[in-house]
Amino acid sequence: MIMKFFIDSADPEQIKKYWDLGIIDGVTTNPTLATKVGRPFRDLVLEIFAIVDGPISLEVLSKDYENILKEARSLSLLHKNVVVKIPMIPDGIRAVKILSSENIKTNVTLVFSPAQALLAAKVGATYVSPFLGRLDDIGENSLNMLKEIIAIYDRYNFATNVLAASIRSARQVEEVAIAGADVVTIPPEILETLYKHPLTDKGIEKFLADYQQSGMDPLIKIS
Ligand code: G3P
């Protein structure tokens, strides 16, 4: 299976930039990201649907079973690519079980332990989102947690996709790829850094300077 990149953003401008660059397969949003753009979330979501043909996670705001179900069903009707993001709480897990039986795609979010990830897989979640950065913030080892989740899922052939979230650096993207995460969701500012290496920029300058200094005609002339 090919590792997927999602962009962790609700900003259509940023999403379009990385979609056009051809490196992202989907989008994850959360209520905090939704408020950051400064425009009605409904408008943003409609624009995102028009840009990205891939899974788009939209999070419920409800915390009780009945309302999570109602909200999730309505969100899923907005577009075929919607994945409903549901918090890792008992009512959320109960709702995921029903939504799975209705073939509604789900993403269990705010996961900080293998036990929580195991519950998400048991009820047939499409994705589980372990939050790495926030776990590291409190002095724990998020990479160990991720590796344990992957080991458990592999051991029992759970179909739930491991979606590494709360990513804070390019190195963390490398680490989750080595560990075997199915998906990593990356904020735009970190996506930008994936391209960068000082030796790349230096190398380009040197190649061009050498060619120009030689006085040779270019192989292809671009008018
Ligand atoms: O979208 C969920 C997650 O990636 C949030 O990350 O940086 O707010 O911890 P962060």
Side-chain angles (χ1 to χ4, degrees):
M1 181 163 83
I2 301 223
M3 188 194 194
K4 295 206 163 111
F5 275 10
F6 292 173
I7 185 167
D8 203 20
S9 170
D11 182 346
E13 205 178 302
Q14 294 281 11
I15 292 169
K16 182 164 175 14
K17 174 179 168 183
Y18 289 99
W19 179 258
D20 288 349
L21 284 168
I23 60 164
I24 60 166
D25 306 286
V27 178
T28 52
T29 65
N30 63 41
T32 304
L33 290 172
T35 63
K36 277 193 182 159
V37 190
R39 290 201 282 131
F41 192 41
R42 178 165 282 270
D43 294 353
L44 302 179
V45 163
L46 293 178
E47 287 175 37
I48 296 168
F49 290 156
I51 298 165
V52 172
D53 188 15
I56 298 163
S57 282
L58 303 177
E59 189 156 343
V60 296
L61 299 174
S62 308
K63 285 166 62 185
D64 65 281
Y65 171 69
E66 292 295 344
N67 284 321
I68 290 174
L69 267 189
K70 274 189 209 159
E71 211 184 326
R73 286 176 180 140
S74 298
L75 285 171
S76 76
L77 290 175
L78 290 178
H79 194 277
K80 67 175 172 60
N81 287 335
V82 169
V83 175
V84 186
K85 213 168 168 186
I86 295 178
M88 174 60 232
I89 51 176
D91 280 36
I93 291 299
R94 184 178 170 203
V96 170
K97 177 140 192 170
I98 302 300
L99 295 166
S100 307
S101 72
E102 295 172 4
N103 289 321
I104 291 175
K105 293 195 174 67
T106 53
N107 174 357
V108 174
T109 187
L110 291 162
V111 164
F112 295 93
S113 74
Q116 290 180 323
L118 193 45
L119 290 173
K122 287 282 291 173
V123 291
T126 317
Y127 299 94
V128 67
S129 289
F131 274 31
L132 278 70
R134 292 191 196 185
L135 199 60
D136 292 334
D137 289 347
I138 61 160
E140 296 206 22
N141 187 329
S142 67
L143 191 57
N144 277 352
M145 169 195 56
L146 183 78
K147 286 177 180 169
E148 288 181 7
I149 294 170
I150 292 169
I152 293 167
Y153 282 16
D154 285 350
R155 172 72 178 77
Y156 293 102
N157 277 326
F158 281 121
T160 302
N161 291 279
V162 178
L163 196 173
S166 186
I167 295 295
R168 304 280 167 76
S169 68
R171 181 58 193 157
Q172 209 168 20
V173 174
E174 295 167 353
E175 286 171 349
V176 305
I178 293 164
D182 300 297
V183 190
V184 57
T185 189
I186 312 171
E189 58 276 15
I190 304 297
L191 276 170
E192 192 63 36
T193 69
L194 297 184
Y195 290 92
K196 303 287 183 196
H197 195 285
L199 290 179
T200 304
D201 297 337
K202 211 175 148 189
I204 291 172
E205 293 314 315
K206 173 99 172 75
F207 283 153
L208 292 180
D210 287 348
Y211 206 91
Q212 271 160 11
Q213 210 177 15
S214 76
M216 290 195 302
D217 282 339
L219 207 53
I220 306 291
K221 282 196 175 137
I222 298 164
S223 54

